[in-house]
Amino acid sequence: MRALFKGFLLLCLVIVCFDFVSANVIINEIMYDPTGSDSGHEWIEIYNQGSSVNLSGWKFYEGGTNHGLKLINGSYFLDEKSYIIIADKPDLFLLDYPDFNGTLLDSTFSLKNSGEYIAIKNKSMVIFDEINYSCCLFGIGGKTLSKFDYGWNGSSIVGGSPGRENNDSSSEI
């Protein structure tokens, strides 16, 4: 019985660690202060630098709450070098970005324009990526906060680049 229990614990450890070894899921872009009304137009982009991972059961942490993720378009499977958008209101996101045809997840949240702590967690509630963003560092109303090799910066275009490589504005800010 003891050997069975040890085997079960080892299997659980392998399953949890598999996410860490195979996936490198990061928060890649944050639209926290869109032009006009923020209400329903906010979104974040997740990017996978590692091998394919199933995001079913994952959570978006914001405002002290673990928000669920509901599939709207695409698949919960995030392939290597792929993006997923988590939108506050998917219908408004699709109106704002009518050419977007990638994976879209729905979640209920409201990002603070002044900044806050956000995170993405796997189904075991392990944090995969986190950021404590601040608007005052970038002053980018209408542009996204985007992750680059050197760190975070404002996007070079109003509206950001959901589902695509980030546009660097390091020369503009």
Side-chain angles (χ1 to χ4, degrees):
M1 183 69 164
R2 188 173 191 170
L4 181 62
F5 180 71
K6 283 183 180 180
F8 175 74
L9 285 178
L10 180 61
L11 178 63
C12 289
L13 182 60
V14 167
I15 290 170
V16 170
C17 289
F18 179 73
D19 281 341
F20 289 109
V21 172
S22 65
N24 189 3
V25 177
I26 62 168
I27 298 170
N28 192 55
E29 192 171 13
I30 307 166
M31 174 53 86
Y32 65 90
D33 189 14
T35 302
S37 171
D38 287 10
S39 182
H41 296 273
E42 297 172 331
W43 52 269
I44 68 161
E45 178 185 77
I46 304 300
Y47 180 68
N48 185 9
Q49 298 173 330
S51 59
S52 183
V53 63
N54 182 352
L55 298 181
S56 179
W58 283 44
K59 304 290 183 190
F60 172 55
Y61 180 85
E62 176 273 336
T65 302
N66 290 306
H67 301 281
L69 303 174
K70 178 183 173 190
L71 184 65
I72 302 300
N73 290 337
S75 168
Y76 279 115
F77 287 93
L78 181 57
D79 291 328
E80 178 180 3
K81 305 221 183 291
S82 294
Y83 303 89
I84 284 183
I85 300 298
I86 301 171
D88 176 36
K89 301 279 187 216
D91 55 332
L92 294 179
F93 175 85
L94 292 171
L95 286 175
D96 293 341
Y97 302 92
D99 294 333
F100 180 83
N101 62 0
T103 298
L104 181 60
L105 301 175
D106 180 17
S107 191
T108 303
F109 59 89
S110 180
L111 300 174
K112 293 182 181 175
N113 290 349
S114 59
E116 69 180 304
Y117 172 82
I118 61 173
I120 188 77
K121 298 179 179 182
N122 70 8
K123 61 185 171 188
S124 300
M125 302 306 287
V126 175
I127 295 172
F128 256 71
D129 197 22
E130 61 190 338
I131 179 175
N132 194 0
Y133 71 88
S134 173
C135 72
C136 304
L137 295 174
F138 301 98
I140 58 171
K143 296 183 179 180
T144 59
L145 182 57
S146 303
K147 191 169 191 173
F148 299 97
D149 291 339
Y150 59 84
W152 288 89
N153 203 350
S155 66
S156 62
I157 56 174
V158 173
S161 56
R164 298 185 322 269
E165 185 176 350
N166 293 339
N167 293 298
D168 191 352
S169 67
S170 59
S171 62
E172 299 178 23
I173 292 182

